[in-house]
């Protein structure tokens, strides 16, 4: 076969593969829609997001760095862990309520 014939064969194969892939993609998208999802379905389900939680006020403050606070939720911060190991009590770092 000559180079021109090979190139023509290559273009024909590429065109057939492209149409086959598009048809297969449509078939799979239709199947996904039947199963109750698809990309659009996922967006509508997750658009609700997380439920709103109330803001949590900090309950403990680092006396060395007052901008470091902790609300008492989650893992204990490193500064508080170090202070507790040095012998302090957690109530020493409690923020007094001013209301």
């Amino acid at each position: 076969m000559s180079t021109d014939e090979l190139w023509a064969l290559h273009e024909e194969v590429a065109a057939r593969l492209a149409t086959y892939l598009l048809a297969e993609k449509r078939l799979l998208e239709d199947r996904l829609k039947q199963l109750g999802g698809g990309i659009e379905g996922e967006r509508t389900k997750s658009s609700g997001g997380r439920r709103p939680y109330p803001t949590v006020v900090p309950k403990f403050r680092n006396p060395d760095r007052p901008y470091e606070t902790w609300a008492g939720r989650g893992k204990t911060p490193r500064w508080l862990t170090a202070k507790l190991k040095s012998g302090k009590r957690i109530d020493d770092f409690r923020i007094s309520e001013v209301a």
Side-chain angles (χ1 to χ4, degrees):
M1 291 183 115
S2 69
T3 309
D4 292 333
E5 291 173 339
L6 285 173
W7 186 254
L9 183 62
H10 166 72
E11 287 179 344
E12 182 183 341
V13 168
R16 284 188 184 179
L17 279 175
T19 56
Y20 174 76
L21 288 175
L22 282 174
E24 191 71 21
K25 182 180 175 186
R26 284 189 199 117
L27 181 87
L28 289 173
E29 286 175 346
D30 290 341
R31 233 189 215 168
L32 194 59
K33 285 179 186 176
Q34 287 176 353
L35 291 174
I39 297 172
E40 297 83 17
E42 288 178 14
R43 285 188 190 136
T44 56
K45 289 178 187 173
S46 64
S47 64
R50 295 176 60 184
R51 67 177 190 176
Y53 286 97
T55 56
V56 182
V57 295
K59 296 177 185 161
F60 304 98
R61 175 171 279 132
N62 185 355
D64 299 333
R65 294 182 178 155
Y67 58 88
E68 291 182 343
T69 58
W70 182 51
R73 292 187 174 184
K75 191 173 179 181
T76 310
R78 291 179 184 170
W79 62 265
L80 186 56
T81 305
K83 301 277 185 180
L84 293 175
K85 283 184 180 178
S86 69
K88 300 257 185 170
R89 295 178 314 147
I90 195 163
D91 289 330
D92 297 336
F93 306 101
R94 191 171 299 275
I95 298 173
S96 62
E97 291 186 32
V98 179

XYZ file of all heavy atoms in Angstrom:
797
model
N 0.848 -1.186 0.000
C 0.000 0.000 0.000
C 0.888 1.242 0.000
O 1.914 1.278 0.681
C -0.902 0.039 1.234
C -1.987 -1.003 1.267
S -3.025 -0.784 2.719
C -4.539 -0.372 1.951
N 0.392 2.249 -0.664
C 1.146 3.498 -0.698
C 0.827 4.314 0.551
O -0.090 4.008 1.315
C 0.788 4.298 -1.954
O -0.537 4.778 -1.851
N 1.580 5.373 0.727
C 1.395 6.239 1.893
C 0.023 6.893 1.872
O -0.641 7.006 2.909
C 2.492 7.322 1.916
O 3.756 6.691 1.768
C 2.464 8.113 3.196
N -0.422 7.299 0.693
C -1.743 7.938 0.584
C -2.861 6.958 0.937
O -3.840 7.322 1.591
C -1.945 8.489 -0.827
C -1.023 9.661 -1.125
O -0.633 10.359 -0.152
O -0.701 9.878 -2.307
N -2.719 5.721 0.498
C -3.736 4.712 0.808
C -3.752 4.399 2.308
O -4.828 4.247 2.909
C -3.468 3.438 0.019
C -3.705 3.578 -1.473
C -3.263 2.337 -2.235
O -2.442 1.571 -1.713
O -3.761 2.155 -3.347
N -2.582 4.313 2.897
C -2.512 4.070 4.332
C -3.119 5.225 5.119
O -3.820 5.023 6.120
C -1.056 3.844 4.769
C -0.447 2.500 4.410
C 1.038 2.485 4.757
C -1.165 1.383 5.130
N -2.864 6.453 4.682
C -3.425 7.615 5.371
C -4.949 7.630 5.248
O -5.652 7.946 6.217
C -2.823 8.911 4.824
C -3.270 10.095 5.615
C -4.169 11.039 5.246
C -2.881 10.430 6.948
N -4.357 11.947 6.244
C -3.564 11.596 7.314
C -2.005 9.857 7.862
C -3.414 12.207 8.551
C -1.849 10.456 9.086
C -2.543 11.618 9.426
N -5.457 7.286 4.097
C -6.905 7.238 3.903
C -7.521 6.163 4.807
O -8.589 6.372 5.403
C -7.233 6.961 2.437
N -6.849 5.016 4.898
C -7.324 3.950 5.781
C -7.306 4.408 7.233
O -8.254 4.138 7.997
C -6.447 2.704 5.603
C -6.855 1.474 6.393
C -8.248 1.003 5.965
C -5.838 0.363 6.203
N -6.259 5.113 7.626
C -6.159 5.642 8.987
C -7.310 6.600 9.285
O -7.930 6.528 10.353
C -4.818 6.357 9.160
C -4.741 7.205 10.389
N -4.651 6.669 11.649
C -4.773 8.548 10.559
C -4.615 7.645 12.543
N -4.691 8.801 11.891
N -7.617 7.497 8.360
C -8.710 8.454 8.565
C -10.052 7.742 8.666
O -10.906 8.117 9.471
C -8.721 9.480 7.440
C -7.586 10.474 7.541
C -7.593 11.484 6.407
O -8.281 11.256 5.389
O -6.923 12.511 6.557
N -10.239 6.701 7.857
C -11.498 5.952 7.908
C -11.655 5.237 9.249
O -12.725 5.269 9.872
C -11.539 4.931 6.766
C -12.834 4.146 6.708
C -12.807 3.105 5.606
O -11.984 3.199 4.685
O -13.643 2.178 5.694
N -10.589 4.628 9.724
C -10.630 3.935 11.017
C -10.877 4.935 12.141
O -11.683 4.684 13.048
C -9.318 3.141 11.244
C -9.219 2.660 12.671
C -9.241 1.977 10.274
N -10.211 6.085 12.102
C -10.400 7.106 13.140
C -11.838 7.611 13.148
O -12.431 7.819 14.216
C -9.424 8.250 12.918
N -12.430 7.809 11.984
C -13.811 8.292 11.905
C -14.782 7.244 12.461
O -15.707 7.573 13.211
C -14.166 8.634 10.463
N -14.567 5.979 12.093
C -15.447 4.927 12.608
C -15.319 4.794 14.129
O -16.311 4.593 14.832
C -15.125 3.591 11.952
C -15.652 3.482 10.557
C -15.481 2.092 10.030
N -15.914 2.009 8.648
C -15.864 0.907 7.928
N -15.399 -0.202 8.467
N -16.280 0.904 6.689
N -14.089 4.887 14.639
C -13.896 4.808 16.091
C -14.576 5.971 16.801
O -15.180 5.788 17.863
C -12.403 4.798 16.435
C -11.695 3.466 16.312
C -10.204 3.643 16.562
C -12.270 2.460 17.280
N -14.506 7.154 16.227
C -15.135 8.319 16.850
C -16.646 8.144 16.919
O -17.262 8.411 17.960
C -14.773 9.584 16.082
N -17.265 7.666 15.835
C -18.718 7.469 15.866
C -19.093 6.353 16.828
O -20.093 6.445 17.542
C -19.252 7.151 14.455
O -18.567 6.020 13.939
C -19.073 8.343 13.529
N -18.282 5.287 16.861
C -18.559 4.192 17.787
C -18.463 4.661 19.230
O -19.311 4.331 20.061
C -17.587 3.048 17.535
C -17.703 1.930 18.547
C -18.767 1.027 18.487
C -16.782 1.786 19.569
C -18.888 0.012 19.422
C -16.897 0.775 20.506
C -17.944 -0.107 20.426
O -18.060 -1.103 21.349
N -17.444 5.454 19.549
C -17.289 5.949 20.916
C -18.422 6.879 21.313
O -18.904 6.836 22.451
C -15.940 6.648 21.075
C -14.724 5.726 21.090
C -13.437 6.538 21.120
C -14.778 4.784 22.272
N -18.873 7.733 20.395
C -20.007 8.621 20.700
C -21.272 7.815 20.958
O -22.029 8.115 21.890
C -20.232 9.602 19.561
C -19.280 10.787 19.507
C -19.521 11.611 18.246
C -19.454 11.661 20.734
N -21.506 6.782 20.144
C -22.691 5.950 20.345
C -22.619 5.220 21.684
O -23.614 5.136 22.421
C -22.821 4.958 19.199
N -21.455 4.713 22.011
C -21.282 4.011 23.290
C -21.474 4.963 24.467
O -22.086 4.610 25.479
C -19.884 3.382 23.326
C -19.675 2.426 24.465
C -20.431 1.119 24.308
O -20.808 0.765 23.186
O -20.647 0.459 25.336
N -20.981 6.174 24.322
C -21.130 7.164 25.389
C -22.599 7.514 25.600
O -23.070 7.596 26.737
C -20.338 8.423 25.044
C -20.389 9.484 26.102
C -19.584 10.696 25.711
C -19.752 11.797 26.737
N -19.103 13.034 26.320
N -23.332 7.706 24.514
C -24.776 7.997 24.638
C -25.509 6.854 25.321
O -26.379 7.071 26.161
C -25.368 8.258 23.261
C -25.027 9.598 22.707
C -25.822 9.902 21.444
N -25.163 10.956 20.707
C -24.654 10.836 19.502
N -24.769 9.701 18.838
N -24.060 11.854 18.916
N -25.153 5.630 24.934
C -25.791 4.462 25.533
C -25.531 4.416 27.037
O -26.454 4.188 27.835
C -25.265 3.187 24.866
C -25.872 1.887 25.379
C -27.147 1.594 24.596
C -24.892 0.760 25.245
N -24.306 4.661 27.437
C -23.973 4.628 28.861
C -24.638 5.775 29.618
O -25.080 5.604 30.759
C -22.459 4.683 29.042
C -21.706 3.417 28.624
C -20.204 3.655 28.690
C -22.104 2.249 29.486
N -24.731 6.953 29.012
C -25.406 8.076 29.675
C -26.887 7.790 29.858
O -27.468 8.112 30.905
C -25.195 9.358 28.875
C -23.797 9.926 29.001
C -23.565 11.130 28.108
O -24.393 11.384 27.191
O -22.550 11.807 28.315
N -27.513 7.170 28.843
C -28.926 6.810 28.975
C -29.129 5.795 30.089
O -30.078 5.887 30.871
C -29.460 6.247 27.658
C -29.576 7.307 26.574
O -29.597 8.510 26.922
O -29.641 6.928 25.386
N -28.229 4.832 30.177
C -28.314 3.833 31.237
C -28.177 4.474 32.614
O -28.889 4.127 33.555
C -27.186 2.838 31.052
C -27.631 1.436 31.007
C -26.427 0.551 31.047
N -26.644 -0.615 30.235
C -25.705 -1.447 29.897
N -24.460 -1.207 30.250
N -25.960 -2.508 29.194
N -27.268 5.418 32.702
C -27.045 6.101 33.967
C -28.262 6.916 34.380
O -28.637 6.953 35.545
C -25.808 6.997 33.857
C -25.216 7.551 35.132
C -24.814 6.431 36.063
C -24.014 8.412 34.814
N -28.904 7.555 33.411
C -30.126 8.307 33.714
C -31.232 7.381 34.196
O -32.006 7.723 35.088
C -30.587 9.072 32.477
C -29.752 10.287 32.186
C -30.247 10.992 30.944
C -29.312 12.122 30.565
N -29.724 12.750 29.295
N -31.318 6.182 33.600
C -32.330 5.220 34.028
C -32.093 4.752 35.454
O -33.026 4.466 36.192
C -32.342 4.010 33.098
C -32.946 4.288 31.748
C -32.852 3.066 30.835
O -32.215 2.073 31.184
N -33.471 3.163 29.667
N -30.837 4.690 35.838
C -30.520 4.256 37.195
C -30.771 5.359 38.214
O -30.586 5.164 39.405
C -29.065 3.790 37.275
C -28.761 2.501 36.520
C -27.265 2.216 36.542
C -29.521 1.343 37.125
N -31.185 6.533 37.752
C -31.559 7.599 38.677
C -30.408 8.467 39.098
O -30.351 8.904 40.236
N -29.544 8.731 38.232
C -28.420 9.564 38.634
C -27.900 10.359 37.475
O -28.609 11.161 36.896
N -26.721 10.082 37.157
C -26.062 10.863 36.136
C -25.399 12.055 36.776
O -25.499 12.289 37.981
N -24.728 12.805 35.974
C -24.026 13.972 36.494
C -25.024 15.000 36.998
O -24.841 15.621 38.036
C -23.109 14.557 35.405
C -22.051 13.531 35.045
C -22.477 15.851 35.850
C -21.205 13.898 33.854
N -26.131 15.163 36.284
C -27.144 16.124 36.723
C -27.787 15.698 38.030
O -28.055 16.505 38.901
C -28.232 16.292 35.651
C -27.735 16.863 34.349
C -27.119 15.802 33.431
O -27.369 14.595 33.653
O -26.367 16.180 32.525
N -28.037 14.390 38.183
C -28.643 13.881 39.408
C -27.747 14.063 40.615
O -28.208 14.370 41.709
N -26.451 13.886 40.428
C -25.526 14.063 41.542
C -25.491 15.512 41.990
O -25.398 15.810 43.165
C -24.123 13.611 41.134
C -23.992 12.121 41.001
C -22.604 11.708 40.546
O -21.697 12.547 40.587
O -22.449 10.553 40.156
N -25.576 16.422 41.042
C -25.545 17.838 41.399
C -26.781 18.233 42.196
O -26.689 18.978 43.147
C -25.461 18.689 40.136
C -24.101 18.675 39.500
C -24.029 19.669 38.370
N -22.807 19.472 37.636
C -22.709 19.462 36.326
N -23.778 19.667 35.593
N -21.556 19.265 35.745
N -27.942 17.709 41.811
C -29.148 18.091 42.536
C -29.179 17.477 43.925
O -29.669 18.083 44.858
C -30.412 17.676 41.756
O -30.352 16.274 41.496
C -30.512 18.434 40.452
N -28.635 16.269 44.065
C -28.627 15.630 45.378
C -27.666 16.336 46.328
O -27.949 16.514 47.490
C -28.233 14.162 45.254
C -29.290 13.297 44.620
C -28.804 11.872 44.490
C -29.780 11.030 43.708
N -29.262 9.696 43.440
N -26.510 16.727 45.809
C -25.509 17.312 46.690
C -25.655 18.821 46.808
O -24.904 19.448 47.526
C -24.108 16.968 46.185
O -23.892 17.558 44.925
N -26.594 19.416 46.088
C -26.725 20.869 46.147
C -27.243 21.320 47.512
O -27.050 22.463 47.891
C -27.652 21.369 45.038
O -28.951 20.869 45.243
N -27.893 20.416 48.235
C -28.368 20.763 49.564
C -27.224 21.042 50.517
O -27.327 21.861 51.409
N -26.125 20.352 50.302
C -24.951 20.575 51.130
C -25.160 20.079 52.547
O -26.058 19.295 52.841
N -24.335 20.560 53.421
C -24.433 20.170 54.822
C -25.506 20.992 55.506
O -25.781 22.116 55.124
C -23.101 20.403 55.504
C -21.999 19.512 54.953
C -20.689 19.823 55.575
N -20.758 19.633 57.012
C -19.779 19.902 57.838
N -18.657 20.400 57.388
N -19.902 19.696 59.130
N -26.042 20.426 56.524
C -27.047 21.170 57.264
C -26.362 22.305 58.024
O -25.187 22.192 58.405
C -27.815 20.264 58.214
C -26.971 19.722 59.323
C -27.790 18.897 60.271
N -26.940 18.636 61.427
C -27.336 18.016 62.491
N -28.544 17.568 62.580
N -26.514 17.827 63.487
N -27.046 23.372 58.274
C -26.410 24.493 58.972
C -26.202 24.175 60.451
O -27.104 23.684 61.125
C -27.410 25.632 58.800
C -28.714 24.963 58.538
C -28.403 23.670 57.855
N -25.016 24.424 60.914
C -24.691 24.224 62.321
C -24.550 25.591 62.981
O -24.099 26.548 62.354
C -23.369 23.466 62.481
C -23.485 22.005 62.143
C -23.127 21.541 60.894
C -23.953 21.097 63.073
C -23.231 20.199 60.571
C -24.054 19.755 62.761
C -23.696 19.312 61.520
O -23.798 17.986 61.212
N -24.904 25.692 64.244
C -24.730 26.976 64.920
C -23.248 27.283 65.105
O -22.423 26.375 65.211
C -25.431 26.777 66.270
C -25.411 25.303 66.489
C -25.475 24.676 65.116
N -22.928 28.548 65.128
C -21.532 28.915 65.364
C -21.170 28.559 66.799
O -21.973 28.719 67.723
C -21.310 30.411 65.133
O -22.211 31.139 65.955
C -21.550 30.775 63.684
N -19.974 28.063 66.967
C -19.515 27.623 68.277
C -18.541 28.663 68.807
O -17.566 29.001 68.148
C -18.831 26.246 68.184
C -18.391 25.777 69.551
C -19.759 25.239 67.551
N -18.825 29.158 69.991
C -17.945 30.157 70.591
C -16.773 29.461 71.260
O -16.908 28.359 71.794
C -18.704 31.036 71.616
C -19.768 31.858 70.926
C -19.323 30.200 72.700
N -15.595 30.070 71.236
C -14.442 29.455 71.893
C -14.614 29.402 73.411
O -15.191 30.301 74.015
C -13.276 30.353 71.509
C -13.828 31.516 70.805
C -15.262 31.280 70.538
N -14.115 28.339 74.007
C -14.238 28.164 75.461
C -12.900 28.227 76.171
O -12.848 28.435 77.374
C -14.907 26.825 75.756
C -16.325 26.742 75.245
C -16.926 25.393 75.486
C -18.297 25.346 74.852
N -18.760 24.011 74.649
N -11.819 28.020 75.420
C -10.492 28.010 76.016
C -9.569 28.924 75.219
O -9.673 29.010 74.007
C -9.916 26.587 76.040
C -10.813 25.605 76.739
C -11.665 24.792 76.027
C -10.811 25.506 78.120
C -12.501 23.893 76.654
C -11.640 24.610 78.767
C -12.491 23.803 78.036
N -8.648 29.609 75.925
C -7.728 30.547 75.279
C -6.319 30.314 75.791
O -6.101 30.085 76.970
C -8.157 31.981 75.565
C -7.168 32.999 75.028
C -7.682 34.408 75.111
N -8.568 34.603 73.963
C -9.783 35.126 74.040
N -10.255 35.524 75.195
N -10.514 35.277 72.975
N -5.356 30.392 74.875
C -3.951 30.274 75.220
C -3.498 31.610 75.811
O -3.569 32.633 75.152
C -3.132 29.952 73.957
C -1.682 29.692 74.244
O -1.230 29.829 75.374
N -0.957 29.312 73.213
N -3.036 31.632 77.055
C -2.636 32.909 77.656
C -1.384 33.501 76.998
O -1.216 34.716 76.988
C -2.373 32.569 79.122
C -2.180 31.101 79.158
C -2.920 30.523 78.003
N -0.512 32.665 76.423
C 0.687 33.172 75.770
C 0.362 33.810 74.420
O 0.970 34.805 74.034
C 1.702 32.043 75.559
C 2.134 31.429 76.885
O 2.085 32.142 77.911
O 2.499 30.237 76.887
N -0.565 33.221 73.710
C -1.012 33.746 72.418
C -2.525 33.826 72.457
O -3.225 32.860 72.138
C -0.570 32.822 71.288
C 0.911 32.771 71.127
C 1.262 31.872 69.964
N 2.692 31.855 69.778
C 3.341 30.867 69.213
N 2.681 29.810 68.791
N 4.638 30.928 69.071
N -3.103 34.967 72.817
C -4.548 35.073 73.016
C -5.380 34.799 71.767
O -6.566 34.518 71.873
C -4.743 36.515 73.476
C -3.413 36.975 73.932
C -2.403 36.182 73.203
N -4.789 34.869 70.589
C -5.551 34.604 69.373
C -5.767 33.104 69.158
O -6.584 32.710 68.335
C -4.865 35.210 68.149
C -3.457 34.736 67.917
C -3.198 33.591 67.177
C -2.381 35.433 68.439
C -1.912 33.148 66.973
C -1.087 35.000 68.235
C -0.852 33.857 67.495
O 0.430 33.427 67.295
N -5.062 32.250 69.900
C -5.257 30.812 69.810
C -6.356 30.410 70.783
O -6.194 30.499 71.997
C -3.966 30.064 70.136
C -2.883 30.231 69.105
C -1.638 29.440 69.441
O -1.475 29.012 70.603
O -0.838 29.245 68.528
N -7.466 29.974 70.224
C -8.605 29.563 71.047
C -9.038 28.160 70.629
O -8.672 27.668 69.565
C -9.788 30.534 70.880
O -10.158 30.572 69.500
C -9.427 31.921 71.370
N -9.858 27.570 71.459
C -10.397 26.250 71.174
C -11.813 26.198 71.714
O -12.084 26.623 72.845
C -9.519 25.185 71.812
C -9.948 23.774 71.539
C -10.225 23.221 70.327
C -10.131 22.738 72.495
N -10.558 21.907 70.463
C -10.504 21.584 71.793
C -10.002 22.668 73.880
C -10.763 20.374 72.429
C -10.249 21.459 74.501
C -10.634 20.330 73.784
N -12.736 25.646 70.941
C -14.133 25.585 71.327
C -14.470 24.327 72.104
O -15.608 24.157 72.547
C -15.022 25.673 70.090
N -13.517 23.437 72.269
C -13.790 22.212 73.006
C -14.257 21.087 72.114
O -14.611 20.022 72.591
N -14.264 21.303 70.813
C -14.671 20.265 69.866
C -13.461 19.788 69.090
O -12.550 20.542 68.812
C -15.698 20.814 68.875
C -17.009 21.129 69.509
C -17.996 21.494 68.446
N -19.317 21.676 69.020
C -20.384 21.925 68.311
N -20.294 22.059 67.010
N -21.555 22.069 68.893
N -13.491 18.529 68.722
C -12.402 17.986 67.919
C -11.172 17.674 68.761
O -11.226 17.601 69.990
N -10.073 17.519 68.064
C -8.829 17.156 68.728
C -8.310 18.323 69.556
O -8.410 19.475 69.177
C -7.801 16.766 67.669
C -6.578 16.130 68.226
C -5.689 15.630 67.106
C -4.445 15.021 67.691
N -3.539 14.555 66.647
N -7.749 18.008 70.716
C -7.196 19.032 71.604
C -6.001 19.686 70.923
O -5.129 18.992 70.404
C -6.738 18.402 72.934
O -7.798 17.601 73.456
C -6.373 19.469 73.934
N -5.943 21.016 70.897
C -4.815 21.679 70.232
C -3.499 21.408 70.946
O -3.461 21.097 72.142
C -5.183 23.160 70.283
C -6.284 23.288 71.245
C -6.922 21.955 71.415
N -2.416 21.558 70.216
C -1.088 21.253 70.751
C -0.725 22.134 71.931
O -0.120 21.679 72.901
C -0.037 21.404 69.659
C -0.133 20.351 68.599
C 0.910 20.557 67.550
N 0.742 19.581 66.486
C 1.388 19.630 65.360
N 2.255 20.583 65.123
N 1.181 18.710 64.443
N -1.098 23.398 71.860
C -0.724 24.299 72.949
C -1.399 23.867 74.245
O -0.793 23.917 75.307
C -1.048 25.762 72.608
C -2.492 26.058 72.372
C -3.141 26.098 71.180
C -3.475 26.380 73.360
N -4.458 26.407 71.346
C -4.699 26.601 72.692
C -3.458 26.508 74.750
C -5.872 26.932 73.343
C -4.639 26.845 75.397
C -5.821 27.052 74.698
N -2.651 23.421 74.157
C -3.361 23.003 75.358
C -2.818 21.675 75.879
O -2.674 21.496 77.092
C -4.861 22.905 75.093
C -5.752 22.607 76.280
C -5.563 23.634 77.394
C -7.200 22.541 75.871
N -2.500 20.773 74.974
C -1.929 19.492 75.387
C -0.607 19.707 76.130
O -0.360 19.082 77.170
C -1.687 18.593 74.160
O -2.915 18.464 73.436
C -1.204 17.228 74.559
N 0.215 20.605 75.609
C 1.506 20.878 76.254
C 1.305 21.498 77.633
O 1.998 21.143 78.597
C 2.332 21.812 75.378
N 0.360 22.414 77.754
C 0.098 23.058 79.051
C -0.444 22.049 80.057
O -0.096 22.094 81.240
C -0.887 24.216 78.892
C -0.435 25.301 77.959
C 0.476 26.255 78.648
C 0.790 27.404 77.689
N 1.647 28.383 78.238
N -1.321 21.143 79.598
C -1.873 20.135 80.510
C -0.784 19.167 80.979
O -0.802 18.730 82.129
C -3.014 19.378 79.833
C -4.274 20.199 79.543
C -5.274 19.370 78.761
C -4.887 20.735 80.813
N 0.155 18.846 80.110
C 1.251 17.952 80.502
C 2.187 18.626 81.487
O 2.839 17.954 82.284
C 2.029 17.504 79.271
C 1.316 16.442 78.475
C 2.164 15.953 77.321
C 1.433 14.898 76.537
N 2.224 14.445 75.376
N 2.257 19.945 81.434
C 3.154 20.652 82.357
C 2.532 20.794 83.750
O 3.176 21.313 84.653
C 3.518 22.024 81.801
O 2.385 22.876 81.816
N 1.295 20.337 83.908
C 0.701 20.330 85.236
C -0.459 21.294 85.424
O -1.059 21.334 86.494
N -0.786 22.079 84.424
C -1.917 23.013 84.556
C -3.227 22.251 84.425
O -3.285 21.132 83.930
C -1.830 24.070 83.457
C -0.567 24.887 83.484
C -0.837 26.216 84.047
C 0.442 27.063 83.952
N 0.192 28.410 84.259
N -4.294 22.894 84.888
C -5.633 22.315 84.756
C -6.347 22.982 83.591
O -6.054 24.120 83.249
C -6.434 22.531 86.034
C -5.845 21.794 87.234
C -6.629 22.066 88.494
N -6.894 23.510 88.609
C -7.987 24.019 89.161
N -8.901 23.230 89.649
N -8.156 25.315 89.236
N -7.290 22.274 83.015
C -7.993 22.812 81.848
C -8.822 24.041 82.217
O -9.012 24.939 81.408
C -8.850 21.725 81.165
C -9.257 22.197 79.771
C -10.058 21.367 82.009
C -9.745 21.122 78.861
N -9.273 24.094 83.457
C -10.062 25.256 83.883
C -9.231 26.531 83.949
O -9.785 27.624 83.968
C -10.710 24.983 85.248
C -11.820 23.952 85.139
O -12.456 23.879 84.063
O -12.046 23.222 86.126
N -7.905 26.405 83.991
C -7.052 27.590 83.987
C -7.121 28.337 82.661
O -6.777 29.513 82.590
C -5.589 27.193 84.247
C -5.416 26.563 85.631
O -6.253 26.833 86.514
O -4.434 25.809 85.804
N -7.561 27.678 81.610
C -7.600 28.269 80.273
C -9.010 28.605 79.821
O -9.197 29.095 78.718
C -6.947 27.318 79.272
C -5.569 26.917 79.671
C -5.341 25.680 80.252
C -4.507 27.784 79.516
C -4.070 25.306 80.638
C -3.238 27.415 79.909
C -3.023 26.185 80.474
N -9.985 28.348 80.680
C -11.373 28.591 80.310
C -11.631 30.079 80.174
O -11.173 30.892 80.981
C -12.312 27.987 81.358
C -13.758 27.970 80.928
C -14.609 27.164 81.885
N -14.208 25.768 81.985
C -14.612 24.808 81.149
N -15.391 25.106 80.154
N -14.223 23.558 81.332
N -12.369 30.457 79.141
C -12.737 31.849 78.922
C -13.984 32.135 79.753
O -14.985 31.404 79.653
C -13.031 32.099 77.424
C -11.777 31.832 76.603
C -13.502 33.525 77.205
C -12.006 31.892 75.103
N -13.932 33.175 80.541
C -15.111 33.505 81.355
C -16.172 34.123 80.469
O -15.892 34.891 79.567
C -14.720 34.486 82.464
O -14.245 35.686 81.883
N -17.416 33.744 80.728
C -18.524 34.253 79.908
C -18.826 35.687 80.316
O -19.050 35.993 81.466
C -19.767 33.383 80.108
C -19.619 31.997 79.521
C -20.915 31.239 79.620
O -21.977 31.873 79.551
O -20.837 30.013 79.774
N -18.844 36.546 79.313
C -19.223 37.944 79.534
C -20.458 38.183 78.695
O -20.408 38.261 77.484
C -18.084 38.897 79.114
C -18.511 40.328 79.322
C -16.813 38.565 79.850
N -21.605 38.292 79.370
C -22.856 38.477 78.611
C -23.690 39.545 79.251
O -23.739 39.823 80.368
C -23.617 37.174 78.555
